[in-house]
Amino acid sequence: MNLESMYQDIILDHYRNPHGRGLREPFEAEVHHVNPTCGDEVTLRVHLDGDTIADVSYEGMGCSISQASVSAMYDLVIGRTVQQALDTGEHFRTLMSAKGDPTVAEKLEDELEDAIAFAGVSKYPARIKCALMSWMALKDASIRAGGTTP
């Protein structure tokens, strides 16, 4: 099995078996983000325990990339401080701007875990917004929840 095929399998697994899906209470902030280019949507809630992300819950609809991305993000941010989660989001953003450069993916592999599977998405500019939507929603919700300043 080649690497690209394995990455596709990871994305499809997150899409078919989403982690953290379903809106839950309690939460300090809820945001709704839409990708106007393709119609992907996510409603995301953040629950903080001090400066730690205790829960992220969400509902959404759209392509496999957008929905799998929020599932992979969920795994990466629960139990981390808001700043750590936002830093991971910046690493994911770096991956999305890498245009498929394997050296960038290699450097970020440990930090991004399953989210590294989206490395190939960066070769397709129209799909980058799909992958980034949930990360932008997390940043927005974290600011609204009082976990960070803009």
Side-chain angles (χ1 to χ4, degrees):
M1 175 182 284
N2 68 29
L3 190 59
E4 192 168 314
S5 177
M6 184 181 74
Y7 283 174
Q8 288 173 353
D9 288 347
I10 290 171
I11 291 171
L12 287 175
D13 185 52
H14 274 280
Y15 177 67
R16 291 179 182 137
N17 305 295
H19 303 179
R21 188 174 184 90
L23 294 173
R24 293 180 291 282
E25 294 187 13
F27 62 96
E28 283 69 47
E30 177 180 286
V31 298
H32 182 76
H33 281 222
V34 177
N35 179 351
T37 308
C38 62
D40 294 339
E41 295 186 32
V42 68
T43 299
L44 185 135
R45 292 178 175 173
V46 170
H47 173 52
L48 301 178
D49 181 7
D51 69 344
T52 299
I53 297 177
D55 192 25
V56 172
S57 62
Y58 64 93
E59 283 293 337
M61 60 184 227
C63 71
S64 60
I65 291 171
S66 71
Q67 299 307 295
S69 181
V70 69
S71 174
M73 179 195 74
Y74 170 85
D75 290 345
L76 287 170
V77 302
I78 300 300
R80 297 178 109 188
T81 67
V82 170
Q83 190 57 56
Q84 288 170 329
L86 295 179
D87 289 347
T88 301
E90 285 304 310
H91 291 141
F92 189 78
R93 193 178 191 86
T94 298
L95 182 70
M96 289 298 99
S97 64
K99 299 182 176 148
D101 182 345
T103 61
V104 173
E106 188 176 303
K107 289 177 187 173
L108 296 172
E109 189 171 9
D110 290 340
E111 171 75 20
L112 294 178
E113 299 175 12
D114 276 2
I116 201 68
F118 295 88
V121 172
S122 69
K123 296 183 223 174
Y124 306 98
R127 304 313 300 267
I128 292 171
K129 285 184 181 180
C130 302
L132 284 174
M133 183 179 63
S134 58
W135 291 96
M136 298 300 99
L138 176 68
K139 184 175 183 178
D140 187 14
S142 296
I143 291 168
R144 291 180 188 204
T148 185
T149 56

